[in-house]
Amino acid sequence: MKMKKFLYIAATALLLASCTEDFKDWAEPQSNPQGEVITFGNGSVTPVNTIDFAVETGERVKVCDIIAPSTSDTTYIPQYHIFLNGQGFVLSEDGTINAQELKDYVISLYGKAPEPRVFNAQVEWLMTNGTTGTTIKSEPFELTVILEPIAKPDLWYLVGSCIGDGSWGNEQAKIGISLIPMYTEAEDFTVLTYAGYFPAGQGFKLIHTPGSWDEQWGATADGTFVKNDGGSTDIKMAADGYYLITYDMSAETLTITPYDGEVLAFSSMGMPGDYQGWDAGGTLMTPMSTVVENHDWIMRNVTYDNTELKFAGDGGWGHNWGSTQFPVGTGVQNGANIPIEAGTYTVVFNDILGKYYFISMQ
C-alpha cells in the first residue's frame, strides 16, 4: 500500500511539474525577482539571486533554500542537483554547493575577471530507493555569480632572441635579464600588455612560469598565435618597429599591433622620492634589454618605509611619471607622487606605456 500511495503522489507531482514548463527552451529562461518562491512538485525553491565571492569565503556557498516535495514512503531518499547552463552540481539539502567547483566552472567559461555572470539555473529533485525513483525539476530561474577580485597580477613573460639579453634563458633568476614581464592595469588584472622595439624576423615567445615551457604562446607556420601548442614556433614581426602586445586572459586572445604613440629612448631611469631627497639622478634602475633598444627597467629587492616616489628619465624632471596607484599602476607625465607602502619589492617599469609593478618580496 505504501508503494501505491507513493506512486500516486509521484505521478501527481510529475503532472504539476509538467505544468510549470520543466522543458522550456533555455534560450527563453524565466526570470525571477529576488526572493520569489519557485515551485517544484509540492515543494519549492527560493533562489539566492547573486553569489559574490568577494563576500563568500567558505568551502560551500548557498544557491537556494529548499522545501522538499513530500512523500509518505521513508524508504525513498532524496537527492538534489542544480544545473547552471546545463552543468550539474551536487546540491545539499541546505541549498549549498561546493564553492571551488562553482568558481572553476565560471573561470572555464569566462576567465577570472570579477564581472557578473548570469546563469540559467534549475533545481532537480530525485527520489529513489535504489531500485525505482522519480525526478522533478523546478522552473528555471537566473543565478548571478561574481568571482572575487584577483589578489595580485598573474604575470606572463617575454623571452627570445630579441628580448632582454637574447639568451632564451627562462629560469627564475633570469627575470629582468632574459625574461621581461608584461604589465597590467590596476583596475583589471586579466589583461596584460607590453610595448617595445622588435626587429623583423627575430623570434620570441610568451611563457607563464619561469623555469617551465609548459604554458606558452607561440605561432603556427601561417603566423596564427596559439597557446600550449607543442608544434608552435617563435613569434616574429614582419617589419622593424615598435609594437603593442596584448594578452586578454579572460578571452584567451593574443593580439600584436604596431604602437603608434610617441616613443623616447632614455639612457637612465631613476626612482626619486621623499626617501632620498627627490634626487632625480639618484637611485637608478637597471635596463633589462641589451640586444635591442631598451624600454624596460628593474630595481631588485629594494626596501622602503612608507614613502612617495616617481620615475624620472635621464637624471632630470623633464620626463617623469607619477600616479596615485600602488602596487600596480600607469604613470603619466607630471603625475601625482606614487604612494609606497613599507616593504621590500622588486620594481619593474616600462617607459613607453608608463606601466609599473612593485612586486612584493615578502
Side-chain angles (χ1 to χ4, degrees), residues 103-265:
K103 290 180 186 179
D104 291 343
Y105 179 53
V106 176
I107 291 171
S108 71
L109 295 177
Y110 302 108
K112 298 179 179 180
E115 300 176 5
R117 311 298 186 183
V118 180
F119 293 89
N120 295 309
Q122 195 171 31
V123 171
E124 177 186 88
W125 173 77
L126 170 64
M127 205 66 174
T128 179
N129 63 3
T131 303
T132 62
T134 186
T135 299
I136 304 174
K137 292 183 179 180
S138 74
E139 298 174 12
F141 58 93
E142 288 188 347
L143 180 68
T144 300
V145 181
I146 307 173
L147 295 175
E148 70 269 40
I150 303 172
K152 62 181 181 179
D154 186 14
L155 292 180
W156 281 68
Y157 302 84
L158 282 73
V159 61
S161 60
C162 56
I163 301 297
D165 65 0
S167 68
W168 286 93
N170 77 333
E171 301 88 353
Q172 181 78 28
K174 293 292 188 177
I175 295 176
I177 300 174
S178 56
L179 289 174
I180 294 184
M182 299 184 73
Y183 300 84
T184 187
E185 298 285 347
E187 299 81 9
D188 183 2
F189 290 166
T190 65
V191 178
L192 300 176
T193 56
Y194 176 81
Y197 181 81
F198 293 85
Q202 294 194 27
F204 69 94
K205 286 190 173 184
L206 274 61
I207 68 168
H208 189 198
T209 305
S212 172
W213 295 101
D214 291 345
E215 288 189 86
Q216 60 169 275
W217 278 92
T220 61
D222 64 1
T224 302
F225 305 132
V226 290
K227 183 181 179 183
N228 301 338
D229 186 320
S232 67
T233 186
D234 305 341
I235 300 171
K236 298 178 180 179
M237 306 305 189
D240 296 348
Y242 301 99
Y243 291 88
L244 175 66
I245 302 173
T246 303
Y247 174 25
D248 186 328
M249 291 187 286
S250 292
E252 286 293 1
T253 56
L254 181 68
T255 58
I256 301 179
T257 57
Y259 181 79
D260 55 7
E262 181 183 19
V263 177
L264 300 173

Side-chain angles (χ1 to χ4, degrees), residues 22-60:
D22 287 346
F23 304 103
K24 187 173 182 178
D25 191 334
W26 282 115
E28 297 180 354
Q30 177 174 333
S31 176
N32 297 282
Q34 184 172 3
E36 181 175 344
V37 176
I38 300 163
T39 62
F40 65 133
N42 61 351
S44 66
V45 172
T46 304
V48 174
N49 280 34
T50 300
I51 297 172
D52 187 347
F53 279 109
V55 178
E56 302 288 346
T57 58
E59 293 183 0
R60 300 190 66 79

Side-chain angles (χ1 to χ4, degrees), residues 260-282:
D260 55 7
E262 181 183 19
V263 177
L264 300 173
F266 299 94
S267 59
S268 67
M269 187 62 60
M271 295 174 61
D274 187 60
Y275 69 102
Q276 47 88 285
W278 294 102
D279 178 8

Side-chain angles (χ1 to χ4, degrees), residues 194-197 242-244 259 261-266 269 293-297 321 330-331 349-355:
Y194 176 81
Y197 181 81
Y242 301 99
Y243 291 88
L244 175 66
Y259 181 79
E262 181 183 19
V263 177
L264 300 173
F266 299 94
M269 187 62 60
E293 181 178 288
N294 179 68
H295 292 282
D296 294 278
W297 309 83
W321 296 260
T330 302
F349 175 66
N350 179 278
D351 62 42
I352 297 178
L353 299 175
K355 292 181 180 290

